[in-house]
Amino acid sequence: MTGFAQVFVQAISLVSGILVIRMLEPEEYALYTLGNTMLGTMTVLADGGISTGVMSQGGKVWLDRTKLGTVMATGMDLRRKFAVGSLLVSVPVLLYLMRHHNASWLMSVLIILSLIPSFFMALSGTLLQIAPKLRQDIGPLQRNSVILNVGRLVLLALTIFIFPWAFVAILAAGLPQIWGNFNLRKISAGYADWHQKPDPQVRTEILKMVRRLLPMGIYTCLSGQITIWLISIFGTTRGVAQLGALDRLSMALSFITILFGTLILPRFSRLPNNSGLLLRRFLQIQAGLLAMSACIILTVWLFSTQILMILGPNYSGLTKEVVLKIVISCLGIISTSTFSLFTSRSWAINPFISIPVSVASIALGVTFIDVSSLGGVLTLNIMIQLIQVTMNVTYTLIKIRRTNNSTLPTEI
């Protein structure tokens, strides 16, 4: 039932995305792509590892409603403070990119303002889901997600035909999240007491994780969207639109990451410190991710022409590029999932190791690959993602090997 609900949600999201692609002109869709890319960057900066720290601390007290409420309240308080800094950094960059791609001052300001609801709702939404996820109360979360996405599609359909502008499409996606978050708070209230006040000790523990993850988060803002940044600076507005359209197709795979975070990650977080059990579960997860990725890539390669028909005639010639984009997405799923697994155990790669390795991979790629073309930028991203997967998997195996065994509980 959980899988079906998530597939349904992703199907609605895909329909909404295709509707935006077909209704907006490529130049307008390029601005829409830049806005959504910056929204992701703003969200990562405002999180800084807070949600991971909350998941880690919450996993220790998940059966105690009062203590879990304290963890949640502390995380929410930190999120609000980080959000201000994120806006101060991100808004000027987005404004520059909009103007660089010939957006008017009015359109640039309207797009920035339209991002605000989505930004603040995304920040609180991820934290509000942690308590029911830890208790594996997935049904209400799924129902909320279904209603939320149906609302987005309806609002988009009512507006985009009359006002085919980027800021309208962004606003239509963000406004229903206000209702969604209100409902999430009611769901989580059964497991976490939101009347608790932030706790200094919990804040200290969360900030320990933030200090380890924030540098990598800042780097992720650059490297995770390296294709958009490079094509925005060195490529054309049409190239931005093409990449955005391919991104929309690959987002259909995001249900895998959502299911992973809902069903697998909390269980892995709750496993005891037993190296044998942790290694066995980790290898099983990696094997499943690899097999799934191979099937997805093969399917897209065989039916690339038919898949591109969904996007319309403006993007029909991207048969090679769509396969490259799906390879990137699958590698990203493996890398992100592995990262989530080890951070859920309160493990974090030293940023003085991870960031230099990642920066070196980008520098090496830019030196030998033509990043002014869409195909070149995608090839560069494949190389970067391969290095990230290798680093994350290797680090997790090292940490598991060094884990001190503890008494095994009953099956989790």
Side-chain angles (χ1 to χ4, degrees):
M1 183 63 183
T2 298
F4 173 78
Q6 195 57 56
V7 169
F8 182 69
V9 167
Q10 291 306 121
I12 296 174
S13 180
L14 181 60
V15 171
S16 299
I18 299 304
L19 181 60
V20 173
I21 291 172
R22 285 184 166 271
M23 290 305 300
L24 298 185
E25 292 296 323
E27 293 74 16
E28 194 72 22
Y29 189 72
L31 301 180
Y32 174 84
T33 298
L34 289 174
N36 276 301
T37 301
M38 187 55 70
L39 175 62
T41 299
M42 291 161 58
T43 304
V44 170
L45 287 176
D47 179 76
I50 293 173
S51 60
T52 302
V54 170
M55 174 68 82
S56 176
Q57 294 302 309
K60 300 175 183 178
V61 296
W62 62 286
L63 291 175
D64 189 315
R65 182 173 179 271
T66 300
K67 291 181 179 180
L68 184 56
T70 300
V71 173
M72 297 293 112
T74 305
M76 196 70 76
D77 180 64
L78 285 172
R79 268 283 179 87
R80 286 191 288 265
K81 295 174 180 177
F82 275 53
V84 176
S86 176
L87 285 172
L88 292 176
V89 171
S90 303
V91 169
V93 176
L94 179 57
L95 184 60
Y96 166 78
L97 289 174
M98 290 291 172
R99 297 291 295 155
H100 179 69
H101 287 277
N102 301 316
S104 66
W105 281 103
L106 176 61
M107 182 59 69
S108 299
V109 171
L110 288 173
I111 289 176
I112 290 171
L113 292 177
S114 69
L115 291 172
I116 301 302
S118 295
F119 172 60
F120 282 103
M121 292 304 103
L123 288 180
S124 55
T126 52
L127 292 183
L128 290 170
Q129 294 181 47
I130 289 178
K133 282 183 178 180
L134 285 170
R135 297 294 290 266
Q136 289 294 282
D137 187 14
I138 308 303
L141 293 180
Q142 294 290 339
R143 287 191 293 272
N144 184 72
S145 184
V146 168
I147 297 172
L148 173 62
N149 280 274
V150 170
R152 284 172 173 165
L153 178 58
V154 171
L155 186 58
L156 182 65
L158 292 174
T159 56
I160 197 68
F161 291 99
I162 305 173
F163 308 105
W165 300 317
F167 79 91
V168 173
I170 294 172
L171 199 59
L175 290 179
Q177 185 66 51
I178 297 174
W179 174 89
N181 279 21
F182 178 77
N183 201 36
L184 280 175
R185 182 175 285 273
K186 292 196 296 184
I187 294 170
S188 65
Y191 306 113
D193 181 6
W194 285 96
H195 293 95
Q196 297 299 310
K197 295 181 178 179
D199 181 84
Q201 184 175 353
V202 174
R203 180 186 290 110
T204 299
E205 293 301 317
I206 294 175
L207 287 176
K208 285 181 182 179
M209 183 64 70
V210 170
R211 281 191 288 270
R212 297 294 299 272
L213 295 180
L214 182 57
M216 195 62 188
I218 295 173
Y219 167 75
T220 299
C221 292
L222 301 176
S223 65
Q225 300 292 343
I226 191 67
T227 51
I228 290 291
W229 304 134
L230 289 175
I231 204 72
S232 297
I233 296 171
F234 299 107
T236 64
T237 302
R238 188 170 187 84
V240 175
Q242 290 174 337
L243 183 56
L246 294 178
D247 276 338
R248 178 59 60 177
L249 279 180
S250 65
M251 283 178 63
L253 302 179
S254 62
F255 81 94
I256 298 171
T257 303
I258 297 173
L259 284 178
F260 186 93
T262 302
L263 300 177
I264 298 176
L265 183 61
R267 287 182 167 90
F268 191 83
S269 175
R270 288 157 44 186
L271 288 174
N273 288 327
N274 182 281
S275 58
L277 178 61
L278 287 170
L279 179 61
R280 186 163 62 252
R281 292 289 184 264
F282 179 71
L283 293 179
Q284 288 170 347
I285 291 169
Q286 293 299 313
L289 290 172
L290 285 172
M292 175 202 64
S293 297
C295 292
I296 292 171
I297 293 169
L298 179 61
T299 300
V300 173
W301 178 68
L302 291 174
F303 301 100
S304 58
T305 301
Q306 290 80 1
I307 291 172
L308 287 171
M309 291 175 62
I310 299 173
L311 300 180
N314 288 323
Y315 310 97
S316 60
L318 304 176
T319 52
K320 174 186 174 183
E321 288 81 1
V322 71
V323 177
L324 293 176
K325 182 57 187 173
I326 294 302
V327 171
I328 293 169
S329 297
C330 289
L331 289 173
I333 289 171
I334 297 173
S335 177
T336 301
S337 299
T338 306
F339 178 85
S340 299
L341 288 175
F342 67 70
T343 53
S344 74
R345 307 290 303 182
S346 295
W347 301 336
I349 302 178
N350 191 320
F352 290 103
I353 297 175
S354 58
I355 293 179
V357 169
S358 302
V359 170
S361 67
I362 295 176
L364 182 65
V366 171
T367 301
F368 295 101
I369 299 173
D370 177 16
V371 295
S372 64
S373 67
L374 180 57
V377 170
L378 294 174
T379 301
L380 170 65
N381 210 356
I382 288 177
M383 187 190 77
I384 294 171
Q385 290 292 348
L386 279 172
I387 293 174
Q388 290 294 320
V389 168
T390 302
M391 181 171 60
N392 288 346
V393 170
T394 302
Y395 175 77
T396 309
L397 291 173
I398 291 173
K399 293 297 291 185
I400 289 175
R401 183 180 178 183
R402 295 177 179 176
T403 298
N404 295 320
N405 292 343
S406 63
T407 305
L408 275 169
T410 56
E411 182 66 21
I412 295 178

